[in-house]
Amino acid sequence: MCLLPYIFVKITFYLFISDVKSEKMAKDLEKVKERNNDLLLSIAQLCKRPNRTYPEVVFLLGLPGAGKSAIVNTIVKALCGKFYSKAVTGKGHAVSKTLILQRLVRCGLQANEMEPIEKNILKKGLSKLPTIIDAAGTGDEDSEKFKEILRVYFGGFVPSGTSIQFVENLQKEHGIGTLQYLLESSDENKVTKVVFVASCKQSFPEKLVECLHSVLQEYDDRNPVDVFVVITKYDLVKDQHIYEARDKEEDYITEECFEKFEAEVVNNFSIEGSKENNCIRWVSYVDGHGSDNPHIDNIAL
């Protein structure tokens, strides 16, 4: 009987600690939500810049299965407040023989799909949200054929509504090196940002990175193409506690393995001094995640 008061006090203490932790987590979550609204406002202001004649054009490049389409869908969720599967080019881990490119104007957003808060914040900047080009089908490739495809997209030679099949047929009919003479460049269609997507669960795509570097070396400060790197599937790191992970133990990786892969990415892109600004640890709304996590929205924004 003498143990009952002790047990009661212990249970009460643990319940108190649990309540304190829950309250702190709730407050932290509210801060993240507030931060996300601030980021939405900043995005709206950036879109309305008077010196921004055309919307940014963002080109996603990476291996099949790296998570490019999941990134697009996560961005859509963060911007409009509701999950929509807009990017449909992804084919899992299979490498297709055919290159597929999906162009999403205004990040694929429609005003009538947006939740009230997001719609109110972004309403004046909606028309200037970036165009995203989601590339799928290519493997770890460094070929003259693919370099020319990147050149004409980066250089604005491929207008909206033009299929990649049309571009490849032109290349096949007239030969590699002819596309820039057959197509007309437009400032509106020029790629302004390249986002290289690398999965921490895949081997580092050295050939594809070399292909990208080769094309980007042709640009100078007068016509820059900024490069950012997204390392996906950070939720699979065992030692992080913010994002729910998959249930399968074999999918997990250690923080050490992730950092080793991250270091390889940073080294190959020569961004050692600017990692915080040019390299993102990414989690998408996919693979067991729910459709509402302010921490994931925060990464996307």
Side-chain angles (χ1 to χ4, degrees), residues 59 89 99-103 133-136 149 153 162 164-165:
F59 195 99
T89 60
L99 180 64
I100 305 169
L101 282 92
Q102 182 181 9
R103 188 187 296 260
I133 300 176
D134 178 18
I149 295 294
Y153 270 92
T162 304
I164 181 61
Q165 284 73 31

Side-chain angles (χ1 to χ4, degrees), residues 60-290:
L60 299 187
L61 181 65
L63 294 178
K68 297 182 295 298
S69 296
I71 284 175
V72 175
N73 294 331
T74 301
I75 290 172
V76 170
K77 160 61 178 68
L79 289 174
C80 76
K82 189 175 181 179
F83 185 85
Y84 292 95
S85 185
K86 295 286 185 175
V88 295
T89 60
K91 300 293 182 183
H93 295 276
V95 179
S96 170
K97 293 182 179 179
T98 305
L99 180 64
I100 305 169
L101 282 92
Q102 182 181 9
R103 188 187 296 260
L104 296 106
V105 179
R106 298 189 303 273
C107 296
L109 266 67
Q110 300 294 330
N112 61 353
E113 296 173 336
M114 302 181 72
E115 295 296 290
I117 293 176
E118 287 78 8
K119 185 175 182 179
N120 183 58
I121 294 175
L122 288 174
K123 59 185 177 182
K124 292 183 179 179
L126 185 61
S127 63
K128 291 291 182 69
L129 283 173
T131 292
I132 299 178
I133 300 176
D134 178 18
T138 183
D140 193 11
E141 177 182 353
D142 181 15
S143 66
E144 291 304 318
K145 175 184 175 181
F146 188 57
K147 284 177 185 175
E148 185 178 30
I149 295 294
L150 292 181
R151 286 190 190 102
V152 293
Y153 270 92
F154 291 2
F157 288 89
V158 185
S160 181
T162 304
S163 71
I164 181 61
Q165 284 73 31
F166 173 79
V167 176
E168 288 188 312
N169 287 339
L170 271 182
Q171 187 187 56
K172 184 177 180 180
E173 180 180 352
H174 297 277
I176 295 172
T178 60
L179 289 180
Q180 287 173 281
Y181 303 102
L182 297 170
L183 301 168
E184 186 175 348
S185 176
S186 165
D187 288 341
E188 182 179 2
N189 297 310
K190 287 181 179 178
V191 169
T192 54
K193 303 281 191 297
V194 174
V195 176
F196 193 91
V197 183
S199 167
C200 64
K201 292 288 289 182
Q202 294 178 330
S203 299
F204 186 77
E206 293 182 4
K207 292 180 181 178
L208 192 57
V209 172
E210 185 58 39
C211 181
L212 175 62
H213 283 328
S214 178
V215 174
L216 292 178
Q217 284 173 1
E218 300 169 14
Y219 293 84
D220 56 31
D221 293 336
R222 294 169 297 176
N223 186 28
V225 177
D226 298 323
V227 179
F228 300 86
V229 186
V230 166
I231 304 178
T232 58
K233 307 186 193 302
Y234 182 65
D235 54 307
L236 297 182
V237 175
K238 281 184 177 182
D239 305 319
Q240 59 80 26
H241 304 289
I242 297 178
Y243 312 102
E244 56 178 313
R246 303 175 192 175
D247 295 330
K248 296 179 181 178
E249 181 69 25
E250 63 267 22
D251 285 337
Y252 296 158
I253 63 172
T254 64
E255 181 78 29
E256 183 182 2
C257 288
F258 183 91
E259 290 179 350
K260 184 178 179 181
F261 182 84
E262 186 177 51
E264 187 175 9
V265 170
V266 168
N267 180 59
N268 275 273
F269 280 92
S270 302
I271 53 175
E272 290 88 349
S274 58
K275 184 179 76 170
E276 297 301 319
N277 296 319
N278 291 82
C279 188
I280 303 171
R281 295 178 174 185
W282 188 278
V283 177
S284 286
Y285 280 111
V286 70
D287 298 328
H289 290 292

